[in-house]
Every structure is written in C-alpha cells, then in structure tokens.
C-alpha cells in the first residue's frame, strides 16, 4: 500500500454474504464457520457495514465473528441475538446492523489482502449475514 501522504479510499464496492445454520459454541476458531467475505483488493478490503438478519424465530444468544489469516480462524467479536418467538406479519425476525455511525467500536473492519471474515451462530438458528464495503487497490502515484 502506498504511504500515507494522501487519503486512501476504497476503489471497488464489495458485497459478501453467508447463510448460517450450524451451531458452533467454540470461540477458539474451531467448528463450523461460514465465510462472509474475503479481502480481494491488492491492498485489502474495508467492511463498513454488517447486516445480521435471522430468517426464523430466535432465542437469546449470539452470532460470533472471526477473522481468517490464511492459516486459521481468530475470534473477533459477537452480535447479541434477542429472542423473537413467532415470526409473522406482526413480529419481524431479529435484525441488527453494525455500521460506522451506530456501532463505531465495531466498524469498520479492515481485512488485509488474503484474509477473510467468517461468522457462526452459537445455536442452530438460521441467519443471513451481509457485508458491505469496498476493496483497496491503490498504486503509488
């Protein structure tokens, strides 16, 4: 990546997604972890928003997030999941959005080239994870 004499912005937008359903109570990088998105830019990727959406009823729990450095998974953080019983016209499924405005302590996530973001629910409940951001790809001027 070029030196910090000029601002660096993302060049190409990215949208990653994963469907989660297999319970994984481990935070040591073992068990089933679904790939959400991988850094594809020559200088890495910036993830500026994560959408965590349940696709059915939920119980209180969490969705864990991990980083993969090319050799193994490393625990990053979690999103707390609240209980939503019946999902119907009157009760929307659980949903939370992490972004730079509402959760500045969690976002953005900067993935170095070759790294990826993964997720796993602690309980066997179904979620869709959507990552929004952009790839860095800046050559020296």
């Amino acid at each position: 990546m070029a030196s910090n004499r000029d601002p660096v912005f993302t060049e190409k937008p990215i949208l990653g997604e994963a469907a989660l359903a297999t319970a994984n109570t481990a935070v040591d990088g073992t068990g089933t972890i679904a790939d959400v998105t991988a850094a594809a830019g020559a200088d890495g990727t910036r993830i500026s928003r994560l959408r965590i959406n349940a696709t059915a009823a939920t119980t209180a729990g969490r969705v864990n997030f991990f980083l993969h450095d090319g050799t193994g998974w490393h625990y990053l953080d979690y999103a707390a999941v609240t209980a939503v019983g019946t999902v119907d016209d009157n009760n929307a499924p659980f949903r939370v959005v992490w972004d730079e405005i509402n959760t500045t302590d969690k976002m953005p996530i900067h993935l170095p080239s070759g790294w990826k973001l993964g997720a796993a629910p602690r309980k066997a409940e179904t979620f869709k994870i959507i990552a929004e951001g952009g790839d860095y790809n800046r050559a020296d001027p």
Side-chain angles (χ1 to χ4, degrees), residues 29-72:
T30 61
T32 301
I33 300 171
D35 292 356
V36 177
T37 192
D43 294 315
T45 296
R46 174 191 173 103
I47 300 170
S48 53
R49 178 177 295 132
L50 280 174
R51 298 176 187 274
I52 302 114
N53 301 303
T55 59
T58 55
T59 57
R62 64 193 220 186
V63 172
N64 290 322
F65 289 91
F66 299 85
L67 295 175
H68 194 278
D69 62 3
T71 59

mmCIF file of all heavy atoms in Angstrom, residues 29-72:
data_model
loop_
_atom_site.group_PDB
_atom_site.id
_atom_site.type_symbol
_atom_site.label_atom_id
_atom_site.label_comp_id
_atom_site.label_asym_id
_atom_site.label_seq_id
_atom_site.Cartn_x
_atom_site.Cartn_y
_atom_site.Cartn_z
ATOM 1 N N GLY A 29 -11.819 -20.737 17.173
ATOM 2 C CA GLY A 29 -11.558 -20.885 15.746
ATOM 3 C C GLY A 29 -11.847 -22.269 15.209
ATOM 4 O O GLY A 29 -11.576 -22.543 14.043
ATOM 5 N N THR A 30 -12.378 -23.157 16.045
ATOM 6 C CA THR A 30 -12.737 -24.493 15.582
ATOM 7 C C THR A 30 -14.239 -24.543 15.304
ATOM 8 O O THR A 30 -14.965 -23.596 15.576
ATOM 9 C CB THR A 30 -12.365 -25.557 16.632
ATOM 10 O OG1 THR A 30 -13.098 -25.290 17.843
ATOM 11 C CG2 THR A 30 -10.878 -25.549 16.912
ATOM 12 N N GLY A 31 -14.694 -25.656 14.772
ATOM 13 C CA GLY A 31 -16.112 -25.824 14.468
ATOM 14 C C GLY A 31 -16.458 -25.218 13.115
ATOM 15 O O GLY A 31 -15.592 -24.762 12.368
ATOM 16 N N THR A 32 -17.744 -25.196 12.808
ATOM 17 C CA THR A 32 -18.214 -24.694 11.521
ATOM 18 C C THR A 32 -18.282 -23.170 11.538
ATOM 19 O O THR A 32 -18.987 -22.581 12.357
ATOM 20 C CB THR A 32 -19.602 -25.273 11.194
ATOM 21 O OG1 THR A 32 -19.499 -26.700 11.160
ATOM 22 C CG2 THR A 32 -20.101 -24.757 9.859
ATOM 23 N N ILE A 33 -17.530 -22.548 10.638
ATOM 24 C CA ILE A 33 -17.522 -21.087 10.473
ATOM 25 C C ILE A 33 -17.762 -20.819 8.994
ATOM 26 O O ILE A 33 -17.032 -21.318 8.141
ATOM 27 C CB ILE A 33 -16.196 -20.465 10.935
ATOM 28 C CG1 ILE A 33 -15.955 -20.768 12.430
ATOM 29 C CG2 ILE A 33 -16.178 -18.962 10.665
ATOM 30 C CD1 ILE A 33 -14.585 -20.393 12.936
ATOM 31 N N ALA A 34 -18.786 -20.033 8.700
ATOM 32 C CA ALA A 34 -19.121 -19.718 7.306
ATOM 33 C C ALA A 34 -18.354 -18.494 6.838
ATOM 34 O O ALA A 34 -18.247 -17.500 7.565
ATOM 35 C CB ALA A 34 -20.618 -19.464 7.178
ATOM 36 N N ASP A 35 -17.802 -18.563 5.627
ATOM 37 C CA ASP A 35 -17.140 -17.403 5.021
ATOM 38 C C ASP A 35 -18.187 -16.340 4.686
ATOM 39 O O ASP A 35 -19.165 -16.634 4.003
ATOM 40 C CB ASP A 35 -16.440 -17.786 3.724
ATOM 41 C CG ASP A 35 -15.241 -18.692 3.932
ATOM 42 O OD1 ASP A 35 -14.896 -18.962 5.098
ATOM 43 O OD2 ASP A 35 -14.668 -19.128 2.931
ATOM 44 N N VAL A 36 -17.973 -15.111 5.146
ATOM 45 C CA VAL A 36 -18.854 -13.989 4.794
ATOM 46 C C VAL A 36 -18.277 -13.252 3.590
ATOM 47 O O VAL A 36 -18.956 -13.034 2.597
ATOM 48 C CB VAL A 36 -19.062 -13.031 5.981
ATOM 49 C CG1 VAL A 36 -19.916 -11.836 5.570
ATOM 50 C CG2 VAL A 36 -19.689 -13.765 7.165
ATOM 51 N N THR A 37 -17.019 -12.861 3.676
ATOM 52 C CA THR A 37 -16.353 -12.206 2.551
ATOM 53 C C THR A 37 -14.844 -12.304 2.732
ATOM 54 O O THR A 37 -14.354 -12.455 3.850
ATOM 55 C CB THR A 37 -16.793 -10.732 2.400
ATOM 56 O OG1 THR A 37 -16.352 -10.219 1.151
ATOM 57 C CG2 THR A 37 -16.259 -9.859 3.518
ATOM 58 N N ALA A 38 -14.141 -12.226 1.623
ATOM 59 C CA ALA A 38 -12.682 -12.272 1.637
ATOM 60 C C ALA A 38 -12.133 -10.970 1.070
ATOM 61 O O ALA A 38 -12.759 -10.341 0.223
ATOM 62 C CB ALA A 38 -12.178 -13.446 0.804
ATOM 63 N N ALA A 39 -10.952 -10.569 1.552
ATOM 64 C CA ALA A 39 -10.293 -9.379 1.019
ATOM 65 C C ALA A 39 -9.778 -9.690 -0.377
ATOM 66 O O ALA A 39 -8.960 -10.574 -0.560
ATOM 67 C CB ALA A 39 -9.139 -8.956 1.923
ATOM 68 N N ALA A 40 -10.293 -8.969 -1.356
ATOM 69 C CA ALA A 40 -9.919 -9.224 -2.746
ATOM 70 C C ALA A 40 -9.036 -8.121 -3.314
ATOM 71 O O ALA A 40 -8.362 -8.329 -4.313
ATOM 72 C CB ALA A 40 -11.160 -9.385 -3.611
ATOM 73 N N GLY A 41 -9.049 -6.955 -2.710
ATOM 74 C CA GLY A 41 -8.237 -5.865 -3.215
ATOM 75 C C GLY A 41 -6.757 -6.118 -2.990
ATOM 76 O O GLY A 41 -6.370 -6.816 -2.052
ATOM 77 N N ALA A 42 -5.929 -5.551 -3.847
ATOM 78 C CA ALA A 42 -4.482 -5.725 -3.728
ATOM 79 C C ALA A 42 -3.974 -5.230 -2.377
ATOM 80 O O ALA A 42 -2.992 -5.736 -1.852
ATOM 81 C CB ALA A 42 -3.772 -4.982 -4.858
ATOM 82 N N ASP A 43 -4.651 -4.251 -1.808
ATOM 83 C CA ASP A 43 -4.247 -3.684 -0.523
ATOM 84 C C ASP A 43 -5.249 -3.974 0.580
ATOM 85 O O ASP A 43 -5.247 -3.316 1.607
ATOM 86 C CB ASP A 43 -4.035 -2.179 -0.665
ATOM 87 C CG ASP A 43 -2.859 -1.865 -1.566
ATOM 88 O OD1 ASP A 43 -1.803 -2.503 -1.407
ATOM 89 O OD2 ASP A 43 -2.994 -0.996 -2.434
ATOM 90 N N GLY A 44 -6.137 -4.955 0.374
ATOM 91 C CA GLY A 44 -7.091 -5.341 1.396
ATOM 92 C C GLY A 44 -8.492 -4.826 1.118
ATOM 93 O O GLY A 44 -8.783 -4.288 0.049
ATOM 94 N N THR A 45 -9.350 -5.001 2.105
ATOM 95 C CA THR A 45 -10.758 -4.657 1.988
ATOM 96 C C THR A 45 -11.239 -3.973 3.258
ATOM 97 O O THR A 45 -10.816 -4.335 4.355
ATOM 98 C CB THR A 45 -11.595 -5.933 1.734
ATOM 99 O OG1 THR A 45 -11.217 -6.477 0.472
ATOM 100 C CG2 THR A 45 -13.082 -5.668 1.724
ATOM 101 N N ARG A 46 -12.105 -3.006 3.076
ATOM 102 C CA ARG A 46 -12.745 -2.312 4.199
ATOM 103 C C ARG A 46 -14.201 -2.743 4.244
ATOM 104 O O ARG A 46 -14.920 -2.617 3.253
ATOM 105 C CB ARG A 46 -12.667 -0.799 3.989
ATOM 106 C CG ARG A 46 -13.420 0.013 5.016
ATOM 107 C CD ARG A 46 -13.480 1.473 4.541
ATOM 108 N NE ARG A 46 -14.315 2.270 5.386
ATOM 109 C CZ ARG A 46 -13.879 3.121 6.296
ATOM 110 N NH1 ARG A 46 -12.575 3.287 6.461
ATOM 111 N NH2 ARG A 46 -14.714 3.809 7.030
ATOM 112 N N ILE A 47 -14.645 -3.253 5.386
ATOM 113 C CA ILE A 47 -16.050 -3.598 5.582
ATOM 114 C C ILE A 47 -16.649 -2.494 6.446
ATOM 115 O O ILE A 47 -16.234 -2.294 7.586
ATOM 116 C CB ILE A 47 -16.205 -4.966 6.251
ATOM 117 C CG1 ILE A 47 -15.570 -6.035 5.375
ATOM 118 C CG2 ILE A 47 -17.680 -5.273 6.531
ATOM 119 C CD1 ILE A 47 -15.446 -7.375 6.032
ATOM 120 N N SER A 48 -17.591 -1.759 5.887
ATOM 121 C CA SER A 48 -18.161 -0.618 6.606
ATOM 122 C C SER A 48 -19.532 -0.901 7.206
ATOM 123 O O SER A 48 -20.008 -0.135 8.022
ATOM 124 C CB SER A 48 -18.228 0.600 5.687
ATOM 125 O OG SER A 48 -18.896 0.283 4.500
ATOM 126 N N ARG A 49 -20.169 -2.009 6.815
ATOM 127 C CA ARG A 49 -21.479 -2.343 7.381
ATOM 128 C C ARG A 49 -21.680 -3.850 7.362
ATOM 129 O O ARG A 49 -21.350 -4.522 6.394
ATOM 130 C CB ARG A 49 -22.600 -1.677 6.597
ATOM 131 C CG ARG A 49 -23.988 -2.024 7.120
ATOM 132 C CD ARG A 49 -25.099 -1.300 6.389
ATOM 133 N NE ARG A 49 -24.974 0.127 6.654
ATOM 134 C CZ ARG A 49 -25.023 1.071 5.703
ATOM 135 N NH1 ARG A 49 -25.219 0.759 4.453
ATOM 136 N NH2 ARG A 49 -24.894 2.335 6.022
ATOM 137 N N LEU A 50 -22.224 -4.366 8.472
ATOM 138 C CA LEU A 50 -22.629 -5.768 8.565
ATOM 139 C C LEU A 50 -24.101 -5.807 8.942
ATOM 140 O O LEU A 50 -24.523 -5.146 9.888
ATOM 141 C CB LEU A 50 -21.838 -6.511 9.638
ATOM 142 C CG LEU A 50 -20.449 -6.988 9.298
ATOM 143 C CD1 LEU A 50 -19.765 -7.564 10.528
ATOM 144 C CD2 LEU A 50 -20.487 -8.030 8.197
ATOM 145 N N ARG A 51 -24.874 -6.567 8.194
ATOM 146 C CA ARG A 51 -26.288 -6.780 8.496
ATOM 147 C C ARG A 51 -26.438 -8.223 8.965
ATOM 148 O O ARG A 51 -26.022 -9.146 8.270
ATOM 149 C CB ARG A 51 -27.148 -6.542 7.267
ATOM 150 C CG ARG A 51 -27.079 -5.129 6.740
ATOM 151 C CD ARG A 51 -27.898 -4.992 5.446
ATOM 152 N NE ARG A 51 -27.712 -3.698 4.856
ATOM 153 C CZ ARG A 51 -28.418 -2.610 5.172
ATOM 154 N NH1 ARG A 51 -29.358 -2.681 6.069
ATOM 155 N NH2 ARG A 51 -28.181 -1.464 4.570
ATOM 156 N N ILE A 52 -27.016 -8.387 10.160
ATOM 157 C CA ILE A 52 -27.242 -9.703 10.732
ATOM 158 C C ILE A 52 -28.752 -9.895 10.798
ATOM 159 O O ILE A 52 -29.437 -9.210 11.556
ATOM 160 C CB ILE A 52 -26.601 -9.825 12.133
ATOM 161 C CG1 ILE A 52 -25.096 -9.544 12.040
ATOM 162 C CG2 ILE A 52 -26.860 -11.192 12.739
ATOM 163 C CD1 ILE A 52 -24.644 -8.322 12.739
ATOM 164 N N ASN A 53 -29.281 -10.794 9.971
ATOM 165 C CA ASN A 53 -30.723 -10.997 9.859
ATOM 166 C C ASN A 53 -31.083 -12.445 10.147
ATOM 167 O O ASN A 53 -30.589 -13.344 9.459
ATOM 168 C CB ASN A 53 -31.205 -10.667 8.432
ATOM 169 C CG ASN A 53 -30.907 -9.244 8.040
ATOM 170 O OD1 ASN A 53 -31.313 -8.310 8.689
ATOM 171 N ND2 ASN A 53 -30.169 -9.085 6.950
ATOM 172 N N ALA A 54 -31.960 -12.666 11.128
ATOM 173 C CA ALA A 54 -32.483 -14.009 11.348
ATOM 174 C C ALA A 54 -33.513 -14.298 10.266
ATOM 175 O O ALA A 54 -34.181 -13.383 9.776
ATOM 176 C CB ALA A 54 -33.123 -14.102 12.723
ATOM 177 N N THR A 55 -33.642 -15.548 9.896
ATOM 178 C CA THR A 55 -34.630 -15.906 8.883
ATOM 179 C C THR A 55 -35.799 -16.675 9.488
ATOM 180 O O THR A 55 -36.685 -17.119 8.762
ATOM 181 C CB THR A 55 -33.991 -16.732 7.753
ATOM 182 O OG1 THR A 55 -33.429 -17.913 8.316
ATOM 183 C CG2 THR A 55 -32.894 -15.934 7.051
ATOM 184 N N ALA A 56 -35.803 -16.834 10.808
ATOM 185 C CA ALA A 56 -36.882 -17.523 11.518
ATOM 186 C C ALA A 56 -36.840 -17.078 12.981
ATOM 187 O O ALA A 56 -36.074 -16.178 13.340
ATOM 188 C CB ALA A 56 -36.712 -19.035 11.395
ATOM 189 N N ALA A 57 -37.623 -17.719 13.821
ATOM 190 C CA ALA A 57 -37.646 -17.397 15.247
ATOM 191 C C ALA A 57 -36.259 -17.596 15.862
ATOM 192 O O ALA A 57 -35.478 -18.433 15.402
ATOM 193 C CB ALA A 57 -38.669 -18.279 15.961
ATOM 194 N N THR A 58 -35.965 -16.810 16.904
ATOM 195 C CA THR A 58 -34.677 -16.913 17.596
ATOM 196 C C THR A 58 -34.890 -17.003 19.104
ATOM 197 O O THR A 58 -35.937 -16.610 19.617
ATOM 198 C CB THR A 58 -33.780 -15.684 17.313
ATOM 199 O OG1 THR A 58 -34.496 -14.500 17.651
ATOM 200 C CG2 THR A 58 -33.339 -15.640 15.869
ATOM 201 N N THR A 59 -33.886 -17.514 19.788
ATOM 202 C CA THR A 59 -33.822 -17.462 21.239
ATOM 203 C C THR A 59 -32.635 -16.570 21.584
ATOM 204 O O THR A 59 -31.802 -16.282 20.724
ATOM 205 C CB THR A 59 -33.635 -18.873 21.840
ATOM 206 O OG1 THR A 59 -32.446 -19.457 21.287
ATOM 207 C CG2 THR A 59 -34.838 -19.757 21.533
ATOM 208 N N ALA A 60 -32.556 -16.129 22.832
ATOM 209 C CA ALA A 60 -31.436 -15.276 23.234
ATOM 210 C C ALA A 60 -30.125 -16.026 23.000
ATOM 211 O O ALA A 60 -29.991 -17.196 23.360
ATOM 212 C CB ALA A 60 -31.569 -14.869 24.688
ATOM 213 N N GLY A 61 -29.178 -15.370 22.373
ATOM 214 C CA GLY A 61 -27.886 -15.994 22.075
ATOM 215 C C GLY A 61 -26.971 -15.000 21.408
ATOM 216 O O GLY A 61 -27.015 -13.806 21.703
ATOM 217 N N ARG A 62 -26.168 -15.478 20.468
ATOM 218 C CA ARG A 62 -25.266 -14.580 19.757
ATOM 219 C C ARG A 62 -24.762 -15.206 18.472
ATOM 220 O O ARG A 62 -24.809 -16.415 18.286
ATOM 221 C CB ARG A 62 -24.121 -14.132 20.644
ATOM 222 C CG ARG A 62 -23.201 -15.227 21.085
ATOM 223 C CD ARG A 62 -22.299 -14.745 22.201
ATOM 224 N NE ARG A 62 -20.957 -15.272 22.030
ATOM 225 C CZ ARG A 62 -20.005 -15.117 22.908
ATOM 226 N NH1 ARG A 62 -20.210 -14.427 23.997
ATOM 227 N NH2 ARG A 62 -18.820 -15.611 22.692
ATOM 228 N N VAL A 63 -24.274 -14.331 17.607
ATOM 229 C CA VAL A 63 -23.571 -14.742 16.390
ATOM 230 C C VAL A 63 -22.130 -14.279 16.567
ATOM 231 O O VAL A 63 -21.886 -13.098 16.836
ATOM 232 C CB VAL A 63 -24.192 -14.108 15.129
ATOM 233 C CG1 VAL A 63 -23.334 -14.402 13.904
ATOM 234 C CG2 VAL A 63 -25.618 -14.598 14.917
ATOM 235 N N ASN A 64 -21.195 -15.212 16.460
ATOM 236 C CA ASN A 64 -19.778 -14.879 16.618
ATOM 237 C C ASN A 64 -19.148 -14.585 15.264
ATOM 238 O O ASN A 64 -19.486 -15.205 14.259
ATOM 239 C CB ASN A 64 -19.033 -16.040 17.282
ATOM 240 C CG ASN A 64 -19.423 -16.212 18.725
ATOM 241 O OD1 ASN A 64 -19.626 -15.242 19.438
ATOM 242 N ND2 ASN A 64 -19.547 -17.451 19.164
ATOM 243 N N PHE A 65 -18.206 -13.639 15.268
ATOM 244 C CA PHE A 65 -17.474 -13.275 14.057
ATOM 245 C C PHE A 65 -15.994 -13.600 14.244
ATOM 246 O O PHE A 65 -15.443 -13.444 15.335
ATOM 247 C CB PHE A 65 -17.661 -11.784 13.744
ATOM 248 C CG PHE A 65 -19.050 -11.490 13.268
ATOM 249 C CD1 PHE A 65 -20.039 -11.136 14.161
ATOM 250 C CD2 PHE A 65 -19.374 -11.606 11.925
ATOM 251 C CE1 PHE A 65 -21.333 -10.901 13.739
ATOM 252 C CE2 PHE A 65 -20.660 -11.377 11.480
ATOM 253 C CZ PHE A 65 -21.645 -11.021 12.392
ATOM 254 N N PHE A 66 -15.376 -14.045 13.154
ATOM 255 C CA PHE A 66 -13.986 -14.493 13.166
ATOM 256 C C PHE A 66 -13.227 -13.904 11.985
ATOM 257 O O PHE A 66 -13.826 -13.573 10.958
ATOM 258 C CB PHE A 66 -13.921 -16.028 13.057
ATOM 259 C CG PHE A 66 -14.594 -16.759 14.172
ATOM 260 C CD1 PHE A 66 -15.959 -17.015 14.135
ATOM 261 C CD2 PHE A 66 -13.866 -17.194 15.262
ATOM 262 C CE1 PHE A 66 -16.591 -17.694 15.162
ATOM 263 C CE2 PHE A 66 -14.490 -17.880 16.305
ATOM 264 C CZ PHE A 66 -15.853 -18.130 16.250
ATOM 265 N N LEU A 67 -11.903 -13.804 12.135
ATOM 266 C CA LEU A 67 -11.019 -13.425 11.040
ATOM 267 C C LEU A 67 -10.131 -14.612 10.710
ATOM 268 O O LEU A 67 -9.642 -15.296 11.617
ATOM 269 C CB LEU A 67 -10.141 -12.229 11.434
ATOM 270 C CG LEU A 67 -10.858 -10.922 11.700
ATOM 271 C CD1 LEU A 67 -9.868 -9.871 12.196
ATOM 272 C CD2 LEU A 67 -11.576 -10.438 10.459
ATOM 273 N N HIS A 68 -9.926 -14.854 9.429
ATOM 274 C CA HIS A 68 -9.045 -15.929 8.981
ATOM 275 C C HIS A 68 -7.825 -15.295 8.316
ATOM 276 O O HIS A 68 -7.955 -14.515 7.380
ATOM 277 C CB HIS A 68 -9.772 -16.838 7.986
ATOM 278 C CG HIS A 68 -9.062 -18.118 7.736
ATOM 279 N ND1 HIS A 68 -8.009 -18.229 6.840
ATOM 280 C CD2 HIS A 68 -9.237 -19.342 8.271
ATOM 281 C CE1 HIS A 68 -7.585 -19.472 6.840
ATOM 282 N NE2 HIS A 68 -8.304 -20.176 7.689
ATOM 283 N N ASP A 69 -6.637 -15.638 8.801
ATOM 284 C CA ASP A 69 -5.398 -15.019 8.314
ATOM 285 C C ASP A 69 -4.703 -15.836 7.234
ATOM 286 O O ASP A 69 -3.569 -15.560 6.873
ATOM 287 C CB ASP A 69 -4.428 -14.777 9.468
ATOM 288 C CG ASP A 69 -3.983 -16.050 10.162
ATOM 289 O OD1 ASP A 69 -4.373 -17.165 9.719
ATOM 290 O OD2 ASP A 69 -3.245 -15.949 11.155
ATOM 291 N N GLY A 70 -5.388 -16.838 6.699
ATOM 292 C CA GLY A 70 -4.782 -17.711 5.702
ATOM 293 C C GLY A 70 -4.385 -19.048 6.286
ATOM 294 O O GLY A 70 -4.187 -20.018 5.559
ATOM 295 N N THR A 71 -4.243 -19.120 7.610
ATOM 296 C CA THR A 71 -3.884 -20.389 8.236
ATOM 297 C C THR A 71 -4.904 -20.836 9.277
ATOM 298 O O THR A 71 -5.032 -22.027 9.528
ATOM 299 C CB THR A 71 -2.497 -20.317 8.900
ATOM 300 O OG1 THR A 71 -2.496 -19.284 9.877
ATOM 301 C CG2 THR A 71 -1.413 -20.061 7.884
ATOM 302 N N GLY A 72 -5.599 -19.913 9.910
ATOM 303 C CA GLY A 72 -6.563 -20.292 10.943
ATOM 304 C C GLY A 72 -7.517 -19.165 11.289
ATOM 305 O O GLY A 72 -7.290 -18.001 10.941
#
